[in-house]
Amino acid sequence: MLLNQFLGLAAILFCIGVYGVLTRRNGVMVLMSIELILNAVNINLVAFGAYQGDVGGQVFALFVIAVAAAEVGVGLAIVLLIYRNRRSIDVSEADLLQG
Amino acid sequence: MLLAAGASETFTPESWFFDNAWTIPALPCAAFILILLFGKRLPYKGAEIGIASVVTALGLAILTTGAWVGEYESHQGSHSAEAVTQDVELAQDTDSFEIAADAGEGGEGHVKAEPVVRKLDWLSSNGKSFGIGTLVDGQSVMMLLVVTFISTLVHVYSTDYVHGDRRFTHYFAFLSLFTSAMLFMVLSATTLQLIVGWELVGVCSFVLIGHWWEEKANSDAAMKAFLTNRVGDIGLLIGMTILFFAAGNTFDILDINDAAINGEIAHSTLTWASICLMAAVMSKSGQFILHTWLPDAMAGPTPVSALIHAATMVVAGVYMVGRLYPVFWDGMSIAGSSINLMALIGGITCVFGGALAFVQRDIKKVLAYSTVSQLGYMVMALGVGAWTAAMFHLFTHAFFKACLFLGAGSVSHACHHSFDMKADMGGLRKYMPTTHKTFLIASGALAGIPPLAGFWSKDEILAGTGGWPGTNGNGTYYIIFAMGMLTAAMTAAYMARTIWLTFYGDYRGHEEPHESGKRITVPLMILAFLAVVAGFFNMPSQWVGDGLGLKFEQWVEPAGTRLPGNFTHAKPSISLAIVASLLAVAAGAFVWNYYKKLYAKDPKATEYTDGLASRMPLAASAHKVLEEKYYLDHLYTDTIAAGTKGPLARAAYWFNQNILDGIVDGAGKGSVGLGRFIYKYIDQGTIDATVNQTAAGAGQSGGILRRVQSGKIRQYATLMFGAAAVLVAIFMAAV
Amino acid sequence: MSQLAMLAAETQEIATNFFFYTIAIVSVLSALKMVTTDNVVHSALWLLIVLASVAAVYVFLGAEFAAATQILVYIGAILVLLLFGVMLTRAQIGHEDDLNHPQPMQGLMVAVILFATMVYALADAFGTTRLDALSEQRVERTDAVADAIFSTYIVPFEAISVLLLAALIGAIVVARRD
């Protein structure tokens, strides 16, 4: 098998995730797309770990999974807060940072 | 001149305190964390932790100083027997006068202590190691003592001054961190540490100046201090980076100095590096044109002002120049002439800063401008090559300026938290005898009245310029000397004004003032005592003999290799000392009489109408310029900071109206015509049109840029990913 | 190597490729469905399939422990959390009109440019580098992973546990009604 088979799959999933982040308006769905991006990165980590014969790739994939769990927890809390304040989780409406 | 012949012997001082100097900054740092964690629950709200840590640090600093002096004296004792015989032999074949002078100057006849460096690798990357460590030598020992000493008194004083404040605990936490940051910077062995300490000091000053941030003016002052310092910090980063590469990939201060002395770094490189670093010094040590944050920083609690002005923040710049002296000395000297840019900056600062002190109503602002002026003195001394004189002035200035600031705080404590000398003070000597006496002594020291501390250090700087016949410094700087003399006179004059307005005449405020408590007066008395005796550490040997004279110079001056090789010390001159003292006394007396007459007519007047400014148009316009602080704040806020929004045109117009017109009116009718001509044709026709168009262009580009800041998360994400893709593409194309 | 062994190796290669591409196609299609569907709950279910197939990809790479963790943490915990999020924000269960941004072209362009550069970079750097993931010596045993986590990577591991605690407290503080 080629290393590029895995890397290519990861690249496709990554770009789909980016597309999702950029087009979704629902906060929860944006978070889902971010999970997709993180998964693509994990495939890369594990693939490179296997390629180098190093267990580190896998270990870091595990760390990323743990960090992703934390990220979803905090992210959902923020989305809930936005929902409570604005009765909507449309991220395109949250534009108070406008300059 | 005599370097090769009298090659001074060096020795390596040894003591537990030099190896473990890191404990001194570590103590207040630990106190900071402890106060934040447990401060609120303690009976004295965390003040006890701060005081305990800083007192322990002071104890350690005193022991370190004692060890340093002891090491020096014991080596000197064993050395002097040989030195005497050497000197006699040498005296036979060279010019005996010079030898006697140099031996007396504490230069070549004395042993030199090698700096004690304890370093460990912090991290290494790509073969470059980034060290962290402590550098103990005379200069850092002296600073350790000054910083911990002033900080201890400020801590004690603060327990009364900010008593009952809603952020009392927070205040003490940051006071500890401030002290710790300064001590860390003082001890740093690498430029990297210097930067870290420098920035930490900046952050702490921001927090403490804005301690009462609920008032807009205070938080603005904190912002101003922080932003002005950022301007210089960029210079610091660039300068240190240049030095890192120029000195052969090293952050080590001693290595950089050696490289600069041995000529391994090209003069032009040194010039660029020192210009960048000078920007940092100018912003931190309030040198002219970047000094504007300093008076505004008076918005903080008074003990903080004392700490900032006497020991921590503002002397950081002077300290850095002293630390990297070979770099600055070589870099700032203008090629092909004997003029050093540093001396010029310092000279301008001390004159212009001193002039500003005359028009302030706020007692703290007078002191702030006096600090600006005195820092200018130190930089000027460094510029003319009087390294030791500058450090000595830093040392003495710390004591009397801290005393003055704490005295001002005591006065305002009595006058119901007002700092306005004209409206709320006057005649306070009857009500506050202790504050009055200590303030008087410290002012005398600042003005250079013998035999108080300031007299000795100021005299040494004036001699160091070499402008007075027979002083023979590192060159003869007549202009710098004149600036120094002028400043000495001005200092005495504005301090006389301050004392008159505050302590003499009739009380003009309302409600009865009262003397402050013990926790305020005792630090004042200690500082006043030091303002008297601190100067005795460096009396010229020629006047008091070798046993007593020039102790400070012998203890503090680093080993010969760390100062540029061809250095000599100026010879003290009794005639100069007499003239300078008389000048100061005369200037003070003149101003004193002026105010006495002024207030004799109406002792209760809070504004007087027949002063100099109202009688002479020239004085009036000068007064106006001074009151507007040379219009520098207008330049910064209206022109530079807000430039993109279009007030450029307004500022230029305003500049025209206020300054050009002012001058024109004073000069007479003929000039008025000329002014009108300029205004009508050149200004309106040419300058305004250009300016308007610039403003319009800036406005348009601002409008375009504004669209990027839409606040929409999606757009930000799009830009981020898009930019990442573009960067990857560029990277791919490049590799 | 004998003829037979070569044949066996070739057959195995074809078989693994077949399974890999099947899983890859499933995951890509599910991912596409996930970012385009107009039903929030369906989107979450599509994500489930993507996550499961990523776990399968880990198995191809000889990373069984990562695969198990993927299923336990992602599908067992994170996905459930996301579904709770959908529920708590009272999203419509079923078809919804305004889930997508009215102009998806920007996002599409960025994604395509990103993809193009990545494909170019990958082809350039690892053109035909082989990865013998399934050969004996490449399979990482789970105890090796455990050894690595608790010796070499012990500090990051502890840091992550602190991070999780902080995130836990942070999430409660942020979302709490007060």
Side-chain angles (χ1 to χ4, degrees):
Chain A
M1 294 179 85
L2 298 178
L3 179 57
N4 259 348
Q5 284 174 330
F6 297 97
L7 302 185
L9 174 64
I12 296 171
L13 289 181
F14 186 90
C15 292
I16 294 173
V18 169
Y19 174 78
V21 170
L22 297 186
T23 51
R24 290 304 202 184
R25 296 170 68 175
N26 183 312
V28 178
M29 299 182 89
V30 170
L31 282 180
M32 288 184 199
S33 306
I34 291 174
E35 293 309 311
L36 197 58
I37 293 176
L38 287 172
N39 263 281
V41 172
N42 266 353
I43 293 179
N44 268 11
L45 281 174
V46 176
F48 279 123
Y51 171 62
Q52 300 274 351
D54 184 359
V55 78
Q58 222 186 115
V59 172
F60 271 95
L62 293 171
F63 286 165
V64 171
I65 291 175
V67 173
E71 173 255 319
V72 167
V74 177
L76 272 180
I78 293 170
V79 169
L80 275 184
L81 202 65
I82 294 175
Y83 176 74
R84 209 177 293 146
N85 286 332
R86 311 180 70 117
R87 289 285 126 191
S88 152
I89 50 170
D90 190 337
V91 289
S92 58
E93 279 172 23
D95 58 355
L96 284 178
L97 272 178
Q98 186 173 12
Chain B
M1 37 165 127
L2 243 200
L3 245 207
S8 55
E9 194 168 298
T10 59
F11 71 98
T12 313
E14 278 166 18
S15 166
W16 182 88
F17 296 106
F18 308 152
D19 296 339
N20 295 285
W22 59 270
T23 45
I24 299 177
L27 276 167
C29 184
F32 166 68
I33 296 164
L34 286 176
I35 294 173
L36 277 191
L37 288 178
F38 309 112
K40 285 213 166 130
R41 267 170 263 151
L42 293 170
Y44 295 101
K45 306 272 181 209
E48 63 268 63
I49 302 179
I51 291 178
S53 79
V54 78
V55 165
T56 321
L58 172 64
L60 281 172
I62 289 173
L63 289 173
T64 312
T65 315
W68 184 265
V69 170
E71 282 285 291
Y72 172 82
E73 291 296 343
S74 69
H75 281 84
Q76 175 64 23
S78 59
H79 173 75
S80 53
E82 308 157 28
V84 167
T85 50
Q86 263 180 16
D87 274 358
V88 172
E89 283 164 22
L90 280 165
Q92 286 158 356
D93 46 55
T94 23
D95 185 357
S96 61
F97 174 75
E98 276 189 358
I99 289 190
D102 277 4
E105 275 298 294
E108 282 72 25
H110 292 263
V111 292
K112 296 276 189 193
E114 278 289 327
V116 183
V117 182
R118 292 286 173 270
K119 232 170 78 170
L120 46 95
D121 271 355
W122 179 21
L123 57 94
S124 61
S125 163
N126 199 15
K128 301 177 177 72
S129 79
F130 297 71
I132 182 166
T134 57
L135 169 63
V136 179
D137 67 354
Q139 192 189 0
S140 53
V141 167
M142 182 270 288
M143 283 300 289
L144 285 180
L145 188 65
V146 170
V147 173
T148 50
F149 188 82
I150 303 286
S151 178
T152 305
L153 293 182
V154 165
H155 269 79
V156 173
Y157 183 99
S158 297
T159 53
D160 193 348
Y161 193 84
V162 291
H163 183 72
D165 191 86
R166 98 189 69 169
R167 280 188 296 275
F168 187 79
T169 308
H170 168 272
Y171 172 85
F172 270 92
F174 276 95
L175 217 51
S176 291
L177 187 64
F178 203 0
T179 313
S180 173
M182 189 64 193
L183 292 170
F184 178 80
M185 204 206 90
V186 162
L187 278 173
S188 48
T190 63
T191 53
L192 212 57
Q193 263 173 290
L194 205 68
I195 295 172
V196 172
W198 186 276
E199 300 287 350
L200 267 175
V201 168
V203 171
C204 294
S205 71
F206 167 74
V207 172
L208 286 172
I209 292 168
H211 180 69
W212 293 310
W213 46 260
E214 284 87 350
E215 263 177 63
K216 184 84 168 57
N218 295 352
S219 68
D220 281 353
M223 283 297 233
K224 187 172 174 185
F226 195 66
L227 290 178
T228 315
N229 274 300
R230 294 307 312 170
V231 175
D233 290 349
I234 295 164
L236 182 72
L237 277 180
I238 298 171
M240 290 303 187
T241 314
I242 295 174
L243 284 181
F244 171 75
F245 288 111
N249 291 346
T250 179
F251 283 115
D252 200 301
I253 289 175
L254 294 182
D255 290 350
I256 291 173
N257 278 348
D258 284 342
I261 292 171
N262 299 334
E264 288 162 31
I265 309 175
H267 177 73
S268 58
T269 317
L270 278 180
T271 303
W272 282 113
S274 55
I275 285 174
C276 291
L277 292 176
M278 202 63 208
V281 173
M282 284 168 78
S283 66
K284 200 63 131 202
S285 287
Q287 296 300 295
F288 189 70
I289 77 163
L290 288 181
H291 66 278
T292 52
W293 67 272
L294 235 165
D296 286 30
M298 295 299 104
T302 312
V304 172
S305 310
L307 195 59
I308 288 180
H309 284 251
T312 52
M313 176 102 170
V314 296
V315 296
V318 177
Y319 179 81
M320 187 178 77
V321 179
R323 248 295 165 255
L324 293 168
Y325 197 52
V327 174
F328 280 95
W329 175 249
D330 196 354
M332 296 304 275
S333 62
I334 300 164
S337 74
S338 63
I339 298 172
N340 192 299
L341 206 55
M342 219 164 19
L344 214 57
I345 292 174
I348 290 171
T349 305
C350 66
V351 173
F352 280 51
L356 282 172
F358 279 102
V359 297
Q360 305 302 321
R361 302 174 64 101
D362 184 325
I363 182 168
K364 274 175 83 182
K365 289 212 167 151
V366 175
L367 298 176
Y369 282 116
S370 135
T371 305
V372 170
S373 166
Q374 295 301 311
L375 287 165
Y377 235 84
M378 295 174 207
V379 171
M380 187 179 92
L382 289 165
V384 298
W387 188 93
T388 315
M391 287 302 136
F392 188 51
H393 197 56
L394 195 164
F395 178 74
T396 55
H397 175 255
F399 298 120
F400 54 71
K401 190 48 71 63
C403 184
L404 286 173
F405 266 111
L406 296 183
S410 172
V411 166
S412 107
H413 214 53
C415 297
H416 312 281
H417 297 282
S418 167
F419 290 103
D420 193 330
M421 293 189 293
K422 285 188 185 168
D424 295 322
M425 294 179 189
L428 288 175
R429 74 180 185 287
K430 283 171 238 148
Y431 306 99
M432 320 180 68
T434 317
T435 309
H436 166 236
K437 273 175 212 139
T438 52
F439 200 90
L440 211 58
I441 293 170
S443 304
L446 174 61
I449 309 291
L452 304 173
F455 163 72
W456 302 100
S457 51
K458 189 169 284 187
D459 196 53
E460 213 177 315
I461 293 176
L462 287 174
T465 59
W468 189 262
T471 45
N472 287 346
N474 289 288
T476 42
Y477 300 87
Y478 293 114
I479 299 171
I480 305 294
F481 174 75
M483 283 172 159
M485 286 299 259
L486 180 60
T487 309
M490 282 190 339
T491 309
Y494 64 69
M495 284 322 289
R497 168 181 181 266
T498 308
I499 292 172
W500 171 265
L501 286 177
T502 313
F503 292 104
Y504 290 83
D506 283 6
Y507 182 59
R508 295 181 290 279
H510 40 84
E511 293 177 67
E512 196 83 334
H514 54 86
E515 178 64 287
S516 310
K518 281 265 177 291
R519 279 176 292 175
I520 286 180
T521 49
V522 170
L524 283 178
M525 286 187 268
I526 296 174
L527 284 169
F529 172 71
L530 280 163
V532 177
V533 301
F536 298 141
F537 285 108
N538 209 29
M539 292 181 290
S541 299
Q542 285 89 334
W543 299 356
V544 294
D546 208 20
L548 281 174
L550 293 178
K551 283 296 161 200
F552 184 87
E553 178 177 313
Q554 293 160 16
W555 295 335
V556 170
E557 195 165 290
T561 50
R562 310 298 176 208
L563 282 182
N566 53 350
F567 257 57
T568 55
H569 294 91
K571 277 188 283 297
S573 157
I574 293 184
S575 54
L576 168 63
I578 293 169
V579 169
S581 312
L582 284 180
L583 191 64
V585 172
F590 174 75
V591 172
W592 188 273
N593 277 325
Y594 171 72
Y595 278 93
K596 206 172 178 179
K597 269 186 213 150
L598 206 60
Y599 275 95
K601 290 172 198 156
D602 181 9
K604 288 277 179 195
T606 52
E607 295 286 349
Y608 40 86
T609 47
D610 54 350
L612 258 185
S614 45
R615 275 183 276 140
M616 283 163 60
L618 187 68
S621 50
H623 188 264
K624 172 83 178 146
V625 170
L626 287 177
E627 226 168 27
E628 296 290 342
K629 297 171 273 186
Y630 306 121
Y631 299 102
L632 280 174
D633 275 347
H634 296 282
L635 177 74
Y636 295 153
T637 49
D638 295 348
T639 312
I640 296 174
T644 49
K645 284 185 181 170
L648 208 63
R650 243 189 313 133
Y653 183 70
W654 178 93
F655 182 84
N656 235 293
Q657 292 280 291
N658 289 23
I659 298 184
L660 283 188
D661 280 11
I663 294 167
V664 159
D665 282 344
K669 253 189 172 175
S671 325
V672 171
L674 185 69
R676 286 218 179 104
F677 175 79
I678 290 170
Y679 175 74
K680 206 169 177 182
Y681 297 100
I682 299 177
D683 182 66
Q684 293 286 311
T686 320
I687 298 177
D688 262 21
T690 321
V691 161
N692 281 335
Q693 278 183 356
T694 316
Q700 274 174 4
S701 54
I704 293 165
L705 282 174
R706 188 174 171 276
R707 250 175 261 160
V708 181
Q709 305 296 330
S710 63
K712 291 196 169 58
I713 300 164
R714 177 173 171 271
Q715 193 181 335
Y716 291 155
T718 310
L719 284 173
M720 192 183 82
F721 281 113
V726 171
L727 278 180
V728 169
I730 291 171
F731 186 70
M732 290 297 300
V735 173
Chain C
M1 208 191 275
S2 72
Q3 202 87 32
L4 200 66
M6 275 179 67
L7 191 69
E10 231 165 73
T11 320
Q12 198 198 17
E13 171 95 28
I14 292 167
T16 48
N17 269 342
F18 172 72
F19 284 117
F20 174 80
Y21 282 115
T22 315
I23 288 166
I25 288 165
V26 167
S27 64
V28 170
L29 288 180
S30 319
L32 282 175
K33 273 306 256 186
M34 186 204 114
V35 294
T36 48
T37 180
D38 49 11
N39 182 324
V40 185
V41 180
H42 285 186
S43 180
L45 294 177
W46 286 118
L47 180 62
L48 187 147
I49 297 178
V50 181
L51 297 174
S53 36
V54 170
V57 172
Y58 290 162
V59 175
F60 272 104
L61 288 163
E64 283 97 349
F65 186 65
T69 317
Q70 169 89 0
I71 290 172
L72 282 174
V73 176
Y74 261 114
I75 301 177
I78 295 181
L79 202 64
V80 173
L81 201 61
L82 284 169
L83 283 170
F84 264 100
V86 172
M87 196 177 77
L88 285 173
T89 53
R90 302 206 187 89
Q92 286 178 16
I93 309 293
H95 173 80
E96 226 178 308
D97 286 327
D98 54 353
L99 278 180
N100 284 323
H101 202 270
Q103 294 118 18
M105 275 315 285
Q106 269 184 2
L108 192 63
M109 290 245 306
V110 169
V112 167
I113 294 170
L114 209 54
F115 184 65
T117 47
M118 273 198 278
V119 164
Y120 177 74
L122 289 178
D124 193 41
F126 302 104
T128 52
T129 313
R130 287 194 60 78
L131 173 69
D132 297 318
L134 285 186
S135 57
E136 257 333 289
Q137 70 276 16
R138 284 279 183 250
V139 176
E140 298 292 356
R141 292 158 50 104
T142 303
D143 59 351
V145 176
D147 276 347
I149 288 182
F150 289 106
S151 59
T152 321
Y153 298 106
I154 183 73
V155 177
F157 177 75
E158 293 298 335
I160 291 244
S161 30
V162 174
L163 173 79
L164 273 177
L165 180 67
L168 179 76
I169 297 169
I172 292 171
V173 170
V174 170
R176 185 182 52 161
R177 251 175 237 278
D178 42 14

